Amino acid sequence: MTEANDTARHNAKMAKKKAARDKIMATKTDEKGLIIVHTGKGKGKSSAAFGMIFRCIAHEMPCAVVQFIKGGMSTGERDLILSHFSDRCAFHTMGEGFTWETQDKDRDIEMAQAAWAKAKELIRDPDNRMVLLDEINIALRYDYLDINEVVGFLQSEKPEMTHVVLTGRNAKDELIEAADLVTEMELVKHPFRSGIKAQIGVEF
């Protein structure tokens, strides 16, 4: 087969694929605020969620972040938002660290409940186009929050066009069922297993 024939065959195949794709896309006309879940053992759940937050910021869409577990440590995304984009993105770090660090269940529950109260306030505000609930799945996993209350609130009180992103391992089945978009990050390989610590610019 000549190079010209190969190119013509490839172009015809791509044209056919584009026509099929355009036909499918023509049927996708609705818009709605999505319930988005990032879960799984792999890295990247919060990173991907912050990518969407930065998209909202770039489009001048008001948004907000509530961090349920991470304490007050400096992270790149937090520092950047607070120093440059606080007018577009409200940022609330409500946790005091991971549960194995605090070793105070009652305090963890208290902080998770306070974070959820702030989350509800931000979600109810129709001006916020996206609200990220970072590591809320950890709080739900340990039953610091009632999964039925969280799902019920998202289904009944979330404004129609507001996106809510919920991150963390071990997302509850009830949340996965209620979500519009669920991504599970699969762990294939991680440097931590080779003795490499969390590093600036990669993990925080």
Side-chain angles (χ1 to χ4, degrees), residues 54-66:
F54 283 116
R55 284 176 178 166
C56 288
I57 290 171
H59 290 295
E60 300 186 354
M61 296 163 58
C63 53
V65 176
V66 179

Side-chain angles (χ1 to χ4, degrees), residues 89-123:
C89 182
F91 203 111
H92 300 273
T93 301
M94 308 290 289
E96 295 182 331
F98 292 97
T99 52
W100 56 85
E101 293 174 342
T102 61
Q103 298 179 22
D104 185 342
K105 183 177 180 180
D106 290 340
R107 180 65 174 165
D108 287 344
I109 293 172
E110 179 184 343
M111 296 304 293
Q113 293 287 343
W116 176 234
K118 174 57 69 174
K120 288 190 288 186
E121 173 190 326
L122 293 166
I123 292 169

Side-chain angles (χ1 to χ4, degrees), residues 123-134:
I123 292 169
R124 285 188 179 113
D125 183 350
D127 286 341
N128 285 323
R129 295 295 306 278
M130 177 177 287
V131 180
L132 166 55
L133 309 182
D134 191 34

Side-chain angles (χ1 to χ4, degrees), residues 35-61:
I35 299 173
I36 302 168
V37 175
H38 291 176
T39 192
K41 295 181 179 180
K43 174 178 162 40
K45 298 176 286 291
S46 294
S47 300
F50 273 107
M52 289 190 285
I53 286 291
F54 283 116
R55 284 176 178 166
C56 288
I57 290 171
H59 290 295
E60 300 186 354
M61 296 163 58

Side-chain angles (χ1 to χ4, degrees), residues 50 54 65 67 70-83 91 93 134 200-201 203-204:
F50 273 107
F54 283 116
V65 176
Q67 292 191 304
K70 295 183 177 75
M73 69 172 286
S74 172
T75 63
E77 57 269 24
R78 178 175 178 237
D79 293 348
L80 183 63
I81 289 171
L82 290 178
S83 61
F91 203 111
T93 301
D134 191 34
I200 190 168
E203 275 82 17
F204 59 92

